Amino acid sequence: MAVYTRLGSEDMAGIIAAFDVGTLVSAKGIAEGVSNSNWLIETQDTNGEARRFILTMYETRTDISDLPFFLGLLDHLAAKQCPVPRTIHDRDGASYRLHEGKALALIEFLPGVSVSEPTAGQARAVGAALAQVHLAAADFPDARENSMGLKAWQELLGACGHDGLESIDPDLARLVEHELPLIASHWPSNLPRGVIHADLFPDNVLMLGDKVTGLIDFYFACTDVTAYDIAVTHAAWCFNADGTHFQPELSGALLEGYEAVRPLLPEERAALPILARAAAMRFLATRAYDLMNTPDDALVTPKDPMAFARRLQFYADAANEGIFVR
Amino acid sequence: MAVYTRLGSEDMAGIIAAFDVGTLVSAKGIAEGVSNSNWLIETQDTNGEARRFILTMYETRTDISDLPFFLGLLDHLAAKQCPVPRTIHDRDGASYRLHEGKALALIEFLPGVSVSEPTAGQARAVGAALAQVHLAAADFPDARENSMGLKAWQELLGACGHDGLESIDPDLARLVEHELPLIASHWPSNLPRGVIHADLFPDNVLMLGDKVTGLIDFYFACTDVTAYDIAVTHAAWCFNADGTHFQPELSGALLEGYEAVRPLLPEERAALPILARAAAMRFLATRAYDLMNTPDDALVTPKDPMAFARRLQFYADAANEGIFVR
């Protein structure tokens, strides 16, 4: 949550002038996203109407060569009425521009707030919106490998090391060393694949009441097992923040909402227990690595890996596999 | 530049419901202000109109007992057509509310951006706006002691110590030890006093072109020598950021703009050279103290005190006193 780059108002006005959106009226750096800088921009168009946008400057963690995939996906999904922001193309038709060596994109502003204590009605709406994205993305022509897949977790957790994981929690190394090979050997190879969001936490969903007004932050989107995206969303939505309490009514509503739009195949449903363990492992891996590798003076406070170790333990408990049975 | 407090959307909706401004549509934490948390809020009122506000949560550096002064001043100045945001009072008529022990206020959103490379036309407009505030505040009934006056600088610089100042720069201790007693002994006692902004840096002025659309961040406002506020604004606007280059055309325009609204008394003009040295000392003092006392893992990067040591040296050079003569 930070603005990493300072952009003077003169630079900002020049950047906005490259788009056909009117003149710059306001620009506020916003504390959103962990790896890019974002500004909430207001312009006045030639009719005197106020218009709002998010200007994103991609910092070191986003590879510019991935932007055509990410931004093209937003346009593809928006054209199919998915609740995602569209990219504003510049006067030359480009979806992003370069400014002093950094890429930036102007993105539609969407109303809505991110819920922190979701209700079942909200979980149901998010499930339905996720299914809508999966269906709408079926004919998206581009593909992108999942840079945060199994191989990445193995590398990140390997870099943490047995002792490093134990330094986080005495039981963490044992849990990881038991689960990681098991997930690897059980990773399903027979399931439908497609474009997935891969990071659909409540922070990345804008809502007004029970209505999803925006799915945002597609910067982990990639081509992978479709049902894995449900597992990620399940891990992100169906527990309290520290992972100590599973919330069965949210779980039921999320799956019900999803299936109302895109019914699961029997083999997808059967794979959800192992995919859920994989999803928990994915966030455990990045959080453990970040915790051990964030300098003390960093702007971003590392998140607790144990919140996802607890989810992993929950999913791994055989008695809990029944939560995915209907 | 940070949001220090996390406010869930459910809490936020509850807070906004205490004001008669419609329902919450969007809330983005903004990277503005160094000591408070701020959100840019959008609501929809009963006519379906979009409205925007800044919600400020006062963190530890703002004394709640000062809020009636700060917020009352905004309302007083706004009522007199000064370009300042007005405070939105809650349904009970209060200008601020408490939420879990912290005070928060809902403040009018104003268009405009903060310039980083001011032009003479912009400096002239800022001078005029400052004079307008000084005139409009004349009948504001409240008073507040300047908590960042001479006594505070002496304490802050004393806490840094001779060796501490030398550790920042080999010549800094000598400069401070020469200037500080000189400023103290020459501090004028015969000048008009009134409410001053006391921190009118470009960051605290919103502009559209050459027009001032908002003077913001009145959280150092206090009762002090009126002309000292001109000196602070001069030090803030008439140099490049690191203080290595004085910009005479901005200086001339700032003073000209001020005097077009409120002509200076001869004794005010005569005091500007010593008040400018005092203004530079004030920011040198807080920056030196902050640099020596900011933990390495702080969210805020300390600003360079030498940028104001250079301004102080510039003002102290007898040959430069002429810049305030017309």
Side-chain angles (χ1 to χ4, degrees):
Chain A
M1 294 222 308
V3 176
Y4 297 90
T5 299
R6 186 164 164 83
L7 264 187
S9 62
E10 297 82 359
D11 284 344
M12 187 66 87
I15 289 165
I16 297 304
F19 299 86
D20 182 21
V21 293
T23 56
L24 181 67
V25 167
S26 176
K28 307 279 188 201
I30 59 177
E32 218 153 278
V34 289
S35 52
N36 296 320
S37 298
N38 290 283
W39 291 264
L40 181 47
I41 301 289
E42 182 168 321
T43 66
Q44 189 173 50
D45 69 16
T46 47
N47 301 320
E49 293 286 316
R51 299 180 61 186
R52 265 150 288 151
F53 306 93
I54 304 290
L55 180 74
T56 297
M57 176 171 276
Y58 299 95
E59 306 288 351
T60 49
R61 284 175 74 160
T62 304
D63 187 338
I64 292 182
S65 66
D66 283 333
L67 287 180
F69 176 85
F70 296 143
L71 300 172
L73 178 61
L74 290 182
D75 285 345
H76 181 91
L77 296 175
K80 296 200 166 198
Q81 317 308 325
C82 289
V84 306
R86 69 184 69 226
T87 308
I88 311 302
H89 291 235
D90 71 9
R91 293 177 190 272
D92 299 326
S95 63
Y96 66 94
R97 298 178 58 81
L98 293 177
H99 179 82
E100 295 180 357
K102 289 184 181 172
L104 42 82
L106 192 66
I107 294 174
E108 184 183 13
F109 169 86
L110 294 175
V113 294
S114 297
V115 300
S116 33
E117 292 164 28
T119 63
Q122 291 168 331
R124 185 176 292 107
V126 168
L130 181 65
Q132 194 188 350
V133 164
H134 290 165
L135 293 179
D139 60 350
F140 182 61
D142 288 357
R144 177 178 176 266
E145 194 186 351
N146 188 353
S147 58
M148 274 297 155
L150 179 61
K151 188 153 160 281
W153 319 335
Q154 289 167 331
E155 286 172 7
L156 291 167
L157 291 163
C160 292
H162 180 91
D163 293 352
L165 293 173
E166 282 202 331
S167 75
I168 295 173
D169 185 276
D171 293 330
L172 186 58
R174 184 200 52 76
L175 177 69
V176 166
E177 286 157 15
H178 179 265
E179 287 290 314
L180 195 53
L182 194 146
I183 292 167
S185 62
H186 288 75
W187 185 261
S189 57
N190 61 332
L191 297 184
R193 294 168 59 85
V195 174
I196 67 171
H197 182 286
D199 193 37
L200 200 60
F201 278 72
D203 277 357
N204 291 332
V205 179
L206 299 174
M207 306 198 76
L208 287 175
D210 280 358
K211 185 172 152 53
V212 174
T213 54
L215 306 176
I216 59 174
D217 215 341
F218 278 72
Y219 302 111
F220 287 108
C222 57
T223 313
D224 206 334
V225 170
T226 304
Y228 171 67
D229 214 11
I230 307 171
V232 167
T233 310
H234 192 273
W237 283 76
C238 303
F239 296 81
N240 65 338
D242 69 4
T244 49
H245 289 95
F246 173 65
Q247 304 190 291
E249 69 291 357
L250 298 184
S251 169
L254 179 76
L255 296 169
E256 191 179 286
Y258 187 91
E259 291 214 87
V261 175
R262 177 181 177 269
L264 288 169
L265 300 172
E267 55 269 33
E268 288 184 300
R269 176 175 296 285
L272 280 178
I274 192 73
L275 293 173
R277 287 152 86 163
M281 185 66 81
R282 177 254 181 270
F283 294 101
L284 194 175
T286 47
R287 288 184 173 199
Y289 182 85
D290 287 348
L291 183 63
M292 294 184 61
N293 292 279
T294 299
D296 285 347
D297 59 351
L299 285 170
V300 176
T301 310
K303 293 176 178 167
D304 183 12
M306 294 310 294
F308 279 82
R310 292 184 200 106
R311 285 163 165 87
L312 174 56
Q313 188 64 64
F314 175 87
Y315 288 133
D317 181 347
N320 292 322
E321 295 207 350
I323 60 172
F324 295 111
V325 177
R326 281 193 88 173
Chain B
M1 296 221 307
V3 176
Y4 297 90
T5 300
R6 186 163 164 83
L7 265 187
S9 61
E10 298 81 359
D11 284 344
M12 186 66 86
I15 289 166
I16 297 302
F19 299 86
D20 182 21
V21 293
T23 56
L24 181 66
V25 167
S26 177
K28 307 279 188 200
I30 58 176
E32 220 153 276
V34 289
S35 52
N36 296 319
S37 298
N38 289 283
W39 291 263
L40 180 49
I41 301 289
E42 181 169 321
T43 65
Q44 190 173 48
D45 69 17
T46 47
N47 300 321
E49 295 285 317
R51 298 180 63 184
R52 267 151 286 153
F53 307 92
I54 304 290
L55 180 74
T56 297
M57 177 171 275
Y58 299 95
E59 305 288 351
T60 48
R61 284 174 74 161
T62 304
D63 187 338
I64 293 182
S65 67
D66 283 332
L67 287 181
F69 177 85
F70 298 142
L71 300 172
L73 178 60
L74 290 182
D75 286 344
H76 180 91
L77 295 175
K80 296 200 167 197
Q81 317 307 326
C82 288
V84 307
R86 69 185 68 225
T87 307
I88 312 301
H89 291 233
D90 72 8
R91 293 176 191 273
D92 299 327
S95 61
Y96 68 94
R97 297 179 58 81
L98 293 177
H99 178 83
E100 295 179 359
K102 289 183 181 172
L104 42 82
L106 191 66
I107 293 174
E108 185 184 12
F109 168 87
L110 294 176
V113 294
S114 297
V115 300
S116 32
E117 293 165 28
T119 63
Q122 290 168 331
R124 185 176 292 106
V126 168
L130 181 65
Q132 195 188 350
V133 164
H134 289 165
L135 292 180
D139 60 348
F140 183 61
D142 287 357
R144 178 179 175 264
E145 194 187 349
N146 188 352
S147 57
M148 276 295 155
L150 179 62
K151 188 153 160 282
W153 320 334
Q154 289 168 330
E155 287 171 7
L156 291 167
L157 291 163
C160 293
H162 179 90
D163 293 351
L165 293 173
E166 282 201 332
S167 74
I168 294 173
D169 184 278
D171 294 330
L172 186 58
R174 183 199 53 75
L175 177 68
V176 166
E177 286 157 15
H178 179 265
E179 288 290 314
L180 196 52
L182 194 146
I183 292 166
S185 62
H186 288 74
W187 185 261
S189 57
N190 62 331
L191 300 184
R193 293 168 59 84
V195 173
I196 68 171
H197 182 287
D199 192 38
L200 199 60
F201 278 72
D203 277 358
N204 291 333
V205 179
L206 299 174
M207 305 197 76
L208 287 175
D210 281 357
K211 186 173 151 55
V212 173
T213 53
L215 306 176
I216 59 175
D217 215 342
F218 277 73
Y219 302 112
F220 287 108
C222 57
T223 312
D224 206 334
V225 170
T226 304
Y228 171 67
D229 214 9
I230 307 172
V232 167
T233 309
H234 192 273
W237 283 76
C238 303
F239 296 81
N240 65 338
D242 68 4
T244 49
H245 289 95
F246 173 63
Q247 306 191 290
E249 69 291 357
L250 297 184
S251 169
L254 180 74
L255 296 169
E256 190 178 285
Y258 188 91
E259 291 214 87
V261 176
R262 177 181 176 269
L264 288 168
L265 299 173
E267 56 269 33
E268 288 183 301
R269 176 174 296 284
L272 281 178
I274 192 72
L275 292 173
R277 287 152 86 164
M281 185 66 82
R282 178 255 181 268
F283 295 101
L284 194 174
T286 47
R287 288 184 173 201
Y289 182 85
D290 287 348
L291 183 62
M292 295 184 61
N293 292 279
T294 300
D296 284 346
D297 60 351
L299 286 169
V300 176
T301 309
K303 293 176 178 166
D304 182 13
M306 294 311 295
F308 279 83
R310 292 184 199 108
R311 286 163 164 87
L312 174 55
Q313 188 65 64
F314 175 87
Y315 288 132
D317 181 348
N320 292 322
E321 294 208 351
I323 61 174
F324 294 112
V325 177
R326 283 192 87 172

